[in-house]
């Protein structure tokens, strides 16, 4: 091989390796992979242009090339050669149709795999070298490289022997690589539905895609090593890619007849466009390099370079996030890891022999096992890296986080009631919030003291909720409130306070009337001290107000200016007796036609993803949600959760609700993926909601569900800790979204129940070799997806004495017919199986570990859990009025909504950390009985409405309380 040619080969190897590493490092974060059809078309188009351009370069360098008289080739002639030549080239090679079919078919299969990626198997690409050798054996042709001038007939038998050895080693290496990736995968628990659903065929689609890749690579290698002029071969391949791009474009246009597909195909974000162009160029560079290398090496070596690079990039991720230390701490994981490296060395040895055609002379042949020795050294170095870089050691525990939370919580509680007199409370208010307290603050203080409120000074939640409303003038706030109550179809309940009397808006559906009745009861004891006002309460579960960040910052800035002006006032006034314009009341006497009124400010977004329309705009431009897409709903994004987690446990509960650094949650929560009833607005409407997502601007107030004691501990049903079962308990419905088009497969509650049903699987049981066991054996550890479990009591792997008692109850009804059936089969075993009956809610108190999960909004059972003396675990994005006073790891156990920390937390607190579990449970119960009573809800609501009464007063910058 000439020196210049050797340099080109080395350059091509480097480019192929780097482009493969680059693409795999972006695999989960790139919006290009979220749009596989767009990505395939753009990649094939760029590759076709590059290959065609290189063919022109080769043509001009051939001795027989005769340039035009003027020595120039017009752009028209160049593109004519590229786009019209296919009609002539098709007749030159019978492989054109085969290769075109391979490209189009694998693109369609890849699109189908991406759509249901959670049903795929990681690591199957490792079988590409094996499939290539099988294809070559199937063709019954020996390897020949005629351009190197070797006599191949004499070595046909030796080549066949090499093939068989390579096939065996390639098969074992593929099994080892796939098994290592299965052992190290960090999944979100996304569910592949049981039964006869097309999603179950995704692994088969992956294998077919790999087979098509093998055929394509082998055929391209054959073309590159043929006696044809190389300019013709490169032009042929360029034309092939361009034709494939054109055919896929036609299919995409044809699919755009459906409106949803049309919007997805046409309306691309700038982020998607940038990722598509950048990643397509990177793949193009790799494809051109691979085509070049196929002319100098056998396809087996090229495929090994591709697959090994991708797998080792993946391993680096897992080393950095601490996963591999757990995998390699088991003997089985260590065995597969060693062979993963050593196998590459063996394959390189056989691949080198195949490429060199088994020279009879030993000159230039690498001695046997030298590659394997180098690979073993590489594994030892990587293993050392794994030990050094793994955070938290082999088995981190939450003990340090618990100790820190204890001290922080005690300090907060001590500071929440510093004031021992009205004078001290007024002074503390001014010091904390920079403005005087609202009028009638003395009445609030008297009320709080009379009910023995443990919190007098710390109400940061109210201040944070109301700050943006300080940036809106009072008359606009009143008008917007009236607009809400004039449109009851928005599912708003109205409370009207006038002269100390409380009335309820008549335009409320009977099913929701109880909420306003309970709210009225909550307000009655202190209504006489409230100014006249009208309040709009959200009757839906889902929150409603999502204001883009630039506007929210403007509101906050104006609000701070308004508060600064109030702070400077020396003479403070009481609430105004008249407002201009006054509160509107015409809607109170409206007839039933008022229900037909539609508001232009609210958009119906039920049963569709809301993340990119209603969450992303509330985040900074440089935040992760606006910089990349985590489209793989199966793979856990550890980088997304890293800001609020330490050593695998939630260490910042407040930050864990902020969606701006968690783009992967777009697919992992029912409300974000497919809400049952969602009608949000981008305008700052003053809506009072029971709970909200961190990125929404609804005003939080104590829930009527809790104040009305819809769920409470009945008399004499409380059980001491030592008498409780050491078990994880949950019963509930799939209420966290509307299941359509398979959306339920990544809902929070469905993932949790599925994880609980598979809790018996250990690291060894996750192995590929256990996934292909006889079906009867599989049922014992994968019952949730195969057949109904014989008992809801399942023992997890962590400790034999810790039970898991988890199940859905009742029929699934928030779903379309197909998804309802799929859920029923997946969780109950068959379409005709009877669902488990509902149990007495008091059954919860018999268990130590109680799980609380978001539904369509917050879970109303959390406060009873706190008061029960059991240990509540909470996985939630929705936040409520009491967030600042109930503290993670002091009063409850926080869980990340990906649930990757679930069993680690349970295994510790149900095993070696049982004393800490009891301490948290007792602290939560004692604090809840002090600070989360009905009286505490009234104290919060009283103070909130005094603040709100000042906000809607035209003279609010003059209002306040002074001694």
């Amino acid at each position: 091989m000439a020196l210049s040619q050797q340099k080109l080969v080395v350059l091509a190897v480097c480019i192929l390796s780097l482009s493969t590493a680059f693409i795999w490092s972006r695999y989960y974060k790139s919006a290009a992979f979220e749009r596989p059809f767009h990505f395939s078309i753009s990649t094939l188009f760029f590759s076709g242009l590059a290959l065609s351009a290189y063919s022109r370069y080769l043509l001009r360098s051939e001795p027989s090339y005769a340039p035009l008289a003027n020595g120039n080739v017009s752009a028209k002639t160049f593109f004519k050669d590229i786009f019209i030549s296919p009609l002539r080239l098709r007749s030159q090679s019978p492989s054109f149709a085969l290769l075109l079919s391979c490209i189009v078919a694998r693109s369609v299969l890849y699109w189908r795999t991406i759509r249901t990626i959670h049903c795929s198997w990681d690591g199957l690409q490792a079988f590409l070298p094996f499939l290539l050798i099988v294809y070559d054996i199937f063709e019954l042709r020996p390897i020949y490289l005629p351009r190197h001038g070797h006599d191949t007939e004499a070595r046909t038998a030796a080549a066949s022997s090499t093939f068989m050895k390579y096939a065996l080693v390639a098969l074992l290496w593929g099994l080892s690589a796939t098994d290592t990736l299965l052992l190290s995968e960090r999944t979100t628990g996304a569910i592949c539905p049981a039964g006869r659903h097309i999603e179950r065929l995704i692994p088969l689609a992956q294998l077919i895609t790999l087979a098509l890749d093998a055929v394509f690579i082998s055929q391209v290698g054959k073309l590159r090593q043929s006696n044809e002029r190389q300019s013709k071969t490169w032009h042929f391949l360029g034309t092939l890619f361009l034709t494939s791009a054109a055919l896929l474009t036609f299919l995409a246009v044809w699919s755009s007849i459906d409106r949803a597909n049309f919007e997805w195909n046409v309306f691309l974000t700038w982020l998607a466009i940038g990722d598509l162009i950048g990643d397509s160029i990177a793949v193009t560079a790799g494809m051109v390099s691979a085509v070049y290398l196929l002319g100098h090496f056998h396809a087996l070596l090229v495929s090994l370079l591709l697959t090994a690079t991708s797998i080792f990039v993946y391993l680096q991720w897992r080393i950095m996030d601490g996963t591999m230390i757990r995998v390699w701490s088991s003997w089985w994981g260590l065995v597969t890891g060693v062979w993963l490296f050593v196998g590459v060395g063996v394959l390189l040895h056989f691949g080198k022999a195949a490429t060199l055609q088994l020279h009879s002379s030993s000159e230039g042949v690498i001695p046997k096992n030298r590659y394997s020795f180098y690979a073993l050294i590489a594994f030892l170095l990587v293993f050392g890296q794994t030990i050094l870089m793994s955070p938290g050691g082999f088995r981190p525990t939450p003990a340090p986080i618990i100790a820190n939370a204890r001290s922080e919580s005690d300090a907060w509680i001590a500071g929440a009631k510093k004031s021992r007199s009205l004078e001290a409370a007024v002074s503390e208010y001014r010091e904390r919030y920079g403005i005087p307290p609202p009028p009638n603050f003395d009445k609030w203080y008297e009320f709080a003291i009379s009910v023995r409120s443990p919190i007098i000074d710390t109400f940061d939640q109210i201040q944070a909720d109301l700050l943006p409303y300080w940036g809106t003038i009072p008359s606009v706030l009143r008008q917007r409130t009236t607009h809400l109550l004039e449109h009851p179809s928005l599912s708003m309940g109205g409370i009207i306070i006038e002269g100390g009397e409380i009335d309820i808006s008549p335009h409320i559906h009977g099913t929701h009337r109880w909420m306003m009745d309970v709210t009225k009861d909550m307000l009655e004891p202190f209504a006489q001290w409230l100014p006249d006002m009208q309040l709009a309460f959200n009757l839906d579960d889902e929150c409603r107000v999502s204001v883009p960040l630039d506007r929210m910052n403007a509101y906050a800035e104006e609000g701070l200016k308004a508060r600064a002006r109030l702070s400077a006032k020396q003479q403070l006034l009481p609430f105004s007796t008249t407002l201009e314009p006054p509160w509107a009341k015409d809607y109170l006497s409206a007839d039933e036609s008022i229900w037909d009124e539609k508001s232009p400010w609210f958009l119906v977004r039920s049963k569709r993803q809301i993340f990119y329309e209603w969450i992303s705009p509330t985040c900074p431009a440089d935040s992760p949600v606006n910089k990349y897409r985590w489209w793989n709903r199966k793979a856990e994004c550890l980088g997304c959760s890293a800001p609020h987690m330490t050593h695998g446990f939630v260490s910042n509960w407040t930050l864990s609700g902020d969606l701006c650094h968690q783009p992967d949650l777009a697919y992992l929560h029912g409300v974000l993926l497919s809400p049952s009833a969602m009608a949000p607005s981008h305008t700052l409407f003053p809506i009072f909601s029971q709970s909200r997502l961190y990125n929404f601007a609804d005003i939080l107030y104590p829930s009527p569900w809790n104040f009305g004691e819809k769920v409470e501990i009945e008399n004499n049903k409380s059980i001491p800790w030592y008498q409780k079962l050491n078990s994880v308990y949950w019963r509930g419905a799939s209420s966290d979204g509307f299941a359509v088009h398979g959306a339920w497969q990544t809902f929070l509650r469905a993932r949790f129940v599925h994880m609980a049903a598979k809790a018996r699987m250990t690291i060894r049981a996750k192995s590929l070799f256990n996934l292909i066991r006889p079906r009867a054996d599989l049922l014992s550890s994968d019952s949730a997806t195969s057949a109904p479990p014989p008992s809801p009591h399942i023992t997890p792997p962590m400790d034999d004495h810790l039970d898991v008692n988890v199940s859905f109850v009742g029929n699934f009804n928030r779903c379309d017919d197909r998804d309802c059936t799929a859920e029923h089969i997946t969780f109950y075993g068959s379409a005709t199986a009877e669902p488990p009956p509902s149990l007495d809610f008091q059954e919860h108190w018999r268990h130590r570990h109680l799980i609380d999960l978001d539904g369509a909004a917050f879970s109303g059972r959390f406060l009873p859990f706190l008061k029960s003396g059991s240990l509540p675990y909470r996985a939630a994005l929705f936040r409520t009025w009491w967030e600042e006073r109930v503290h993670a790891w002091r009063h409850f156990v926080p869980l990340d909504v990906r649930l990757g920390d679930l069993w680690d937390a349970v295994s510790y607190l149900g095993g070696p950390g049982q004393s800490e579990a009891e301490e948290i449970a007792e602290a939560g119960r004692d604090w809840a009985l002090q600070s989360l009573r009905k009286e505490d809800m009234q104290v919060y609501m009283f103070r909130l409405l005094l603040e709100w009464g000042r906000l809607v007063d035209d003279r609010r910058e003059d209002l306040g309380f002074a001694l």
Side-chain angles (χ1 to χ4, degrees), residues 10-24 286 289 293 305-306 309-310 313:
V10 172
L11 178 62
V13 169
C14 292
I15 292 176
L16 180 58
S17 301
L18 290 175
S19 64
T20 303
F22 174 78
I23 289 298
W24 272 92
S289 300
L293 290 175
L305 178 62
L306 283 168
T309 301
S310 65
V313 169

Side-chain angles (χ1 to χ4, degrees), residues 459-467 884 940 943-944 947:
F459 289 87
D460 298 347
Q461 181 74 61
I462 293 176
Q463 299 298 322
D465 285 356
L466 299 186
L467 177 59
E884 64 183 345
Y940 187 94
R943 181 147 170 171
L944 172 63
E947 298 282 6

Side-chain angles (χ1 to χ4, degrees), residues 309-520:
T309 301
S310 65
I311 289 170
F312 291 143
V313 169
Y314 177 88
L315 286 183
Q316 282 298 314
W317 290 350
R318 292 299 174 235
I319 290 171
M320 299 295 290
D321 63 37
T323 301
M324 291 312 300
I325 193 66
R326 298 190 178 193
V327 175
W328 287 343
S329 64
S330 69
W331 71 268
W332 181 255
L334 190 61
V335 168
T336 57
V338 170
W339 180 246
L340 177 62
F341 281 77
V342 174
V344 171
V346 177
L347 290 175
L348 281 174
H349 176 77
F350 284 121
K352 181 71 172 180
T355 300
L356 296 176
Q357 289 297 286
L358 299 176
H359 290 293
S360 56
S361 170
S362 61
E363 181 182 356
V365 179
I366 302 297
K368 189 175 182 180
N369 293 330
R370 181 177 295 182
Y371 283 146
S372 300
F373 175 75
Y374 292 156
L376 183 59
I377 295 298
F379 172 78
L380 294 176
L381 292 174
V382 171
F383 188 75
Q385 175 200 11
T386 303
I387 295 176
L388 292 174
M389 301 191 66
S390 296
F394 282 82
R395 297 290 177 186
T397 72
I401 302 176
I402 294 174
N404 185 61
R406 185 186 301 118
S407 59
E408 289 184 354
S409 176
D410 291 345
W412 189 95
I413 292 173
K417 196 177 180 179
K418 289 171 54 178
S419 301
R420 301 299 177 179
S421 65
L422 176 61
E423 292 78 7
V426 172
S427 176
E428 183 67 20
Y429 186 104
R430 277 186 172 273
E431 183 177 345
R432 284 175 180 262
Y433 305 122
I435 57 175
N440 293 341
F441 184 77
D442 56 336
K443 306 302 180 184
W444 173 85
Y445 181 81
E446 292 174 6
F447 181 80
I449 293 297
S450 69
V451 298
R452 301 186 302 278
S453 172
I455 298 175
I456 296 295
D457 300 310
T458 306
F459 289 87
D460 298 347
Q461 181 74 61
I462 293 176
Q463 299 298 322
D465 285 356
L466 299 186
L467 177 59
Y469 294 94
W470 277 93
T472 305
I473 61 176
S475 60
V476 172
L477 292 177
R478 299 198 297 271
Q479 291 168 2
R480 289 179 177 174
T481 299
T482 301
H483 178 85
L484 295 170
L485 300 181
E486 288 175 340
H487 295 81
S489 61
L490 293 174
S491 193
M492 295 290 167
I495 291 285
I496 298 93
I497 301 174
E498 188 170 0
E501 299 294 326
I502 303 175
D503 289 319
I504 300 175
S505 171
H507 310 299
I508 301 175
H509 283 303
T511 54
H512 292 88
R513 173 77 188 198
W514 71 270
M515 295 175 63
M516 293 298 94
D517 290 335
V518 172
T519 303
K520 179 180 178 182

